[in-house]
Amino acid sequence: MATEPGYRFPPQTQDKQPGKEYVMHPLPQFINPHYKPSNKLHGKVALVTGGDSGIGRAVSYLFTIEGAAVAFTYVKVQEDKDKDYILNILKEVKPEGVKDPIAIHTDVGFEENCKHVVDRVMREYGRIDILVNNAAEQIFTPTIQDITQCRLERVFRTNIFSHFFMSKYALQHMKEGSCIINTTSVVAYAGYAELLDYSSTKGAIVTFTRSLALNLINRGIRVNAVAPGPVWTPLQPSCFPAEIIAQFGSEVPMDRAGQPYEIAPSFLFLASNDCSSYVTGQVVHPNGGKIVNT
């Protein structure tokens, strides 16, 4: 279950992004064994980018046990083992009558790839009700001089271009009552000195969320976001030096990092019309008690 206040993770690093969940110690917790499903997403189809690990994995799992057919994207080769693991679990826990989950390998930073993902989901399921734009990368960078044009474009492509492109093509098939949920971050509000480009993309996601929500009001499609605080996912050891990992979570009032399963219910709340039909253009903040100016 959730880590206790004051808990610190063993120092560790990974030398490549996206990170691998299966080599982390301890493993992130994406299942809450005490959670009781209530069929909130019965008959829905959800597309989750970056759904093989971390928050995306927890969201894919929670949406599945709540009755949704789930498709998720991942990075081939680097994330194959994580993809196989969660894909098998989703097949085991899906309610009777729900179609099998599918995993789609792609680089979501490019428009053509996003179109192909949406086309594949439509071929398999015939509809898209929920889009979760979650894929992201971050690179620890002490100074702005270390950020090259190529690096800046790469981070922006993954973290915000993908939101535009996935939304653009998914919206061609989404009907009234559908929704889009974007993953931003507490750093969009608080900043982070050594994550200049990543923080900038997360700020862009907040504005994208608010603007697209207004744009889609007349279509009856809601757009919201979730801004997690520190969460134990592969993004962390694949980005930060070991000494920062050893203090990870100490920066928030709850004095610990969150686990992915503690973040996923925020996405479920925003995905369920029974729970959030009057909520659009908003950001939910599961961040361990950090007060931000929203």
Side-chain angles (χ1 to χ4, degrees):
M1 293 302 293
T3 49
E4 295 295 324
Y7 178 85
R8 300 293 177 260
F9 298 100
Q12 57 198 280
T13 61
Q14 297 184 29
D15 60 2
K16 190 174 182 180
Q17 287 201 29
K20 299 183 178 75
E21 182 152 328
Y22 69 91
V23 301
M24 295 173 67
H25 176 69
L27 291 173
Q29 299 168 20
F30 70 96
I31 296 175
N32 179 353
H34 303 299
Y35 182 84
K36 294 179 173 55
S38 56
N39 221 23
K40 288 184 178 68
L41 302 181
H42 174 71
K44 303 292 187 180
V45 171
L47 169 57
V48 182
T49 65
D52 61 293
S53 64
I55 293 171
R57 173 185 287 194
V59 170
S60 295
Y61 176 85
L62 189 56
F63 281 14
T64 297
I65 64 174
E66 284 289 354
V70 173
F72 66 86
T73 69
Y74 71 101
V75 177
K76 191 171 178 61
V77 179
Q78 181 70 5
E79 296 180 323
D80 279 349
K81 189 167 182 178
D82 284 332
K83 175 267 297 184
D84 291 340
Y85 176 73
I86 186 58
L87 192 61
N88 289 332
I89 288 179
L90 297 185
K91 289 178 180 178
E92 292 175 1
V93 302
K94 71 180 183 67
E96 185 176 354
V98 175
K99 289 187 176 181
D100 282 349
I102 57 173
I104 306 169
H105 65 84
T106 195
D107 182 341
V108 294
F110 294 88
E111 182 171 6
E112 183 177 1
N113 295 348
C114 293
K115 182 181 185 300
H116 288 162
V117 169
V118 170
D119 289 346
R120 170 78 186 281
V121 175
M122 290 302 296
R123 287 197 304 271
E124 294 285 343
Y125 299 133
R127 61 188 293 174
I128 299 174
D129 303 289
I130 305 161
L131 170 63
V132 177
N133 288 310
N134 172 72
E137 60 181 273
Q138 65 181 24
I139 304 170
F140 185 82
T141 309
T143 72
I144 195 170
Q145 280 72 30
D146 296 324
I147 300 176
T148 64
Q149 178 175 317
C150 182
R151 213 307 275 294
L152 186 65
E153 181 176 344
R154 175 67 249 173
V155 173
F156 269 75
R157 279 195 171 279
T158 300
N159 294 12
I160 181 64
F161 284 22
S162 64
H163 286 56
F164 275 87
F165 298 145
M166 280 293 182
S167 299
K168 173 181 177 178
Y169 289 103
L171 281 166
Q172 294 178 5
H173 309 285
M174 299 177 91
K175 300 178 180 179
E176 183 176 354
S178 299
C179 67
I180 296 172
I181 309 168
N182 303 315
T183 305
T184 179
S185 169
V186 67
V187 303
Y189 302 88
Y192 198 108
E194 293 82 20
L195 296 177
L196 286 169
D197 45 3
Y198 174 83
S199 300
S200 299
T201 65
K202 292 303 181 176
I205 291 168
V206 173
T207 304
F208 173 72
T209 298
R210 292 170 172 169
S211 300
L212 187 60
L214 295 173
N215 184 269
L216 297 176
I217 286 284
N218 291 336
R219 288 185 56 182
I221 297 173
R222 298 180 299 106
V223 185
N224 293 288
V226 178
V231 184
W232 187 232
T233 74
L235 199 61
Q236 315 312 332
S238 67
C239 166
F240 290 117
E243 60 270 21
I244 291 182
I245 293 297
Q247 296 299 315
F248 188 63
S250 63
E251 66 271 34
V252 298
M254 291 184 74
D255 194 29
R256 67 174 180 86
Q259 290 290 344
Y261 81 81
E262 296 180 288
I263 311 303
S266 295
F267 289 83
L268 178 61
F269 165 73
L270 294 172
S272 170
N273 286 321
D274 290 340
C275 298
S276 58
S277 59
Y278 196 52
V279 180
T280 195
Q282 306 303 313
V283 181
V284 179
H285 295 270
N287 64 20
K290 190 174 183 67
I291 307 301
V292 297
N293 180 6
T294 60

